[in-house]
Every structure is written in structure tokens, then in C-alpha cells.
Amino acid sequence: MEEPRRILLTGWFSFRDGEVTAGDVLALRRVADVLERAGLAYDVAWSPGFRPGALHLEGVRAEAYSHLVFVCGPVHGPQVEELHRRFAHCVRIAVGTSVVDPAGPAVAGFHEVLARDAPGTEPLVDLSARAPAVPARPVVGVILTHGQHEYAGRRRHAEVAGAVTRWLAGKDCARLELETRLDAHDWRLSATPAQLSSVLDRLDLVVTDRLHGLVLALRAGTPALAVDPVTGGAKVTAQARACGWPALIAAERLDVGELERWWEWCLTTGRGAARRTRDRFRDGTGVRDGAEALTAALGVTGGREGRA
């Protein structure tokens, strides 16, 4: 087999209508790492829907490559078969793939298939397992509301949610959409406050336009970047003030600059501030809520704490 001049790395992540998964991309990194350590030159073809500005199969000059490597995923279908026709002059290798039909044209078109699983063979560990380590990213809970019709013409919920989610899409973070609404039957929602609190405890940051998104994050000691979705400010603003929490943006002042400023604060100084707020909630230091005045409102003159 001839020495590679230049290698084109492809996979399901390369096809216009292909699916790009985290496992596939990590598998690609494992292969790229092996090639780099061997001093071999390569390019990666990406789906234009996933990475519009990258190299795409449609723009590849096939004659520029001596080898084509197909990374991860199942080896089947017309898209893979088309690679064999277009890159017929190349040595074609599949690595870390699943083989369902060994006799199918998609499989038979490769000169060599280094399968992770195939009929009659011992399975190999998936390529993604040994991919180079990646640095941790902030884990961010996102709690937004599209309701609250009681604010009528002051509502800017759709505008706020749109601006926040567009901004978040460009942030290098792990996003987790959450709901404060509980449901004992919908597996996607928490059934108890304890379940939701267990998630909030493990986050680095919560981005929210909900009052309880703010309060429950701080109760867990997690910084909250809060946006009040009501013109002029309403209950989110009032609650931030009551909690002494500064990371609040009014709907009228919502822009990327403000979001970036409070994002940075929440992930640095805000970590300690959130923990101190949590501790104040727990011991009641400087914290007042309506429950303290409830017994008086009920006409009860003496407490009954500690009564058997």
C-alpha cells in the first residue's frame, strides 16, 4: 500500500444531511491525534449545516487526496457508496465503525474495515473512549418562561427568551434546559423540589427570567444571571432586590454586553456571593419573608415551637 500523501477524514459528520454526534467528533479527534503523532497530513470534511465555514465534501478536490478514512458510525447507505465512486482513486479505510451487512456495497467498497463491531468478530472499544481529554466547560441551567400573561402589554417574554437563547447558542458551555414546574408523570420534569434542587446544586450557573429560577438557584448556592422580562421591572426585579442579588438585567437594557458582563461576574466573584446568599437563607441572617408575620395575621399571639 502506498505511503499517504494527504488523507481526507470523513464520516456521518461530513454529509449534508448527516447527523453530527459528540461521540463521532471525539472519535474523529482520536483518529486525528494518531495521525498527527505519526506526522501524517489530513483534512476533515464537515457537514455545511454544522460548520458552514469549514471544508465541505462539495468543495473538496478529490484528486488532492491519496487516502480517504471514514470514521465511526454505521457503514451503510447511498451516501457512503457515493464516497467510493467519487474517491475511487483513493485507498479507502473505515475505522471504528459498525458493520451490519459485511457483503453490502458500502462495506465492500473499502480496502480495509477496522470495525468496532461486526458479525463474527470481537468488538473493540469505541474510538471516543480514548480521545484526547477536553477541558471542562461551565454547566449552565436555563430556566425561561413564555407565560405570565397577567403583565399584559408590559410583557417582553418572547423577546427576552429569543435574545437570551441566541446569545447562549454562541457560548462555549454545556446548556441544560430546566423547568421549575413539577410533574409526577412526565419523565422530563422533576417530580419533587428535591429532584430539581439536586440538579441546581451541580450547576456552575443558572440563566433565568423566572422569579423561582433566581431564588432556587441562590438557595442551592449557584449564581443566577437573571433577566426581568417585564417592562419597567416586576417580580424578578423585586426578588433580586430582596435577596440582595446584583446580577439582574432589565428587559429594556438587555444586550450582549450586559449579558457578557454578568456572565463573567457570575462565574468568578458571583460564585462566592451565591454561596453567601445560600448561607443567609439557611440561617435567616438579614432575611425576611411573609411567613414570619403569618401567625400575627392569623391572630395567634404565642408560638408553639417545641410543643409535644
Side-chain angles (χ1 to χ4, degrees):
M1 188 176 291
E2 65 174 304
E3 184 76 15
R5 296 193 309 276
R6 192 164 192 88
I7 302 165
L8 181 65
L9 299 183
T10 64
W12 286 97
F13 51 81
S14 305
F15 300 138
R16 178 174 291 276
D17 299 318
E19 182 178 68
V20 182
T21 72
D24 288 350
V25 174
L26 286 172
L28 172 64
R29 290 181 180 175
R30 165 67 173 152
V31 170
D33 182 58
V34 168
L35 297 181
E36 287 168 10
R37 285 191 279 112
L40 297 174
Y42 68 87
D43 293 320
V44 179
W46 291 99
S47 166
F50 182 66
R51 292 193 176 171
L55 178 68
H56 307 144
L57 283 174
E58 290 87 342
V60 163
R61 291 191 309 110
E63 63 274 16
Y65 300 95
S66 61
H67 289 66
L68 178 139
V69 175
F70 189 87
V71 181
C72 198
V75 182
H76 78 100
Q79 291 160 299
V80 178
E81 294 171 30
E82 174 58 26
L83 287 178
H84 296 314
R85 289 188 290 271
R86 184 175 173 196
F87 295 89
H89 66 285
C90 288
V91 174
R92 299 178 302 284
I93 301 171
V95 58
T97 54
S98 292
V99 174
V100 178
D101 179 10
V107 177
F110 286 104
H111 294 88
E112 189 165 359
V113 177
L114 307 173
R116 66 184 171 194
D117 55 87
T121 66
E122 282 295 312
L124 299 177
V125 172
D126 185 72
L127 294 168
S128 65
R130 296 190 59 204
V134 294
R137 299 296 191 262
V139 182
V140 180
V142 184
I143 306 176
L144 301 173
T145 177
H146 299 277
Q148 300 180 341
H149 295 279
E150 63 269 24
Y151 291 107
R154 296 171 60 202
R155 294 180 71 254
R156 298 180 66 172
H157 295 64
E159 177 185 337
V160 165
V164 167
T165 52
R166 284 192 299 273
W167 168 70
L168 279 172
K171 299 297 292 182
D172 189 8
C173 65
R175 294 167 288 274
L176 184 62
E177 185 176 16
L178 298 173
E179 269 276 6
T180 57
R181 180 170 62 88
L182 303 179
D183 193 313
H185 307 289
D186 188 338
W187 67 269
R188 294 166 295 184
L189 301 177
S190 296
T192 67
Q195 293 174 8
L196 179 59
S197 294
S198 295
V199 177
L200 297 175
D201 285 344
R202 290 163 170 78
L203 299 177
D204 295 305
L205 172 65
V206 169
V207 176
T208 185
D209 66 357
R210 303 201 70 152
L211 180 152
H212 282 126
L214 166 64
V215 174
L216 296 183
L218 296 179
R219 184 178 183 274
T222 300
L225 196 173
V227 181
D228 194 321
V230 179
T231 299
K235 59 186 179 181
V236 176
T237 297
Q239 194 58 213
R241 179 180 177 184
C243 295
W245 187 250
L248 172 74
I249 305 174
E252 305 93 302
R253 299 201 317 272
L254 180 59
D255 60 35
V256 170
E258 281 290 281
L259 287 166
E260 291 288 349
R261 180 168 75 92
W262 285 117
W263 171 278
E264 182 63 27
W265 182 86
C266 283
L267 291 176
T268 53
T269 306
R271 295 177 188 271
R275 289 192 291 269
R276 290 190 294 272
T277 301
R278 174 199 61 196
D279 294 343
R280 288 194 297 108
F281 286 174
R282 289 177 177 177
D283 63 28
T285 304
V287 176
R288 294 175 57 250
D289 64 19
E292 296 171 341
L294 179 59
T295 52
L298 291 169
V300 179
T301 56
R304 301 192 179 203
E305 293 183 5
R307 179 175 177 176

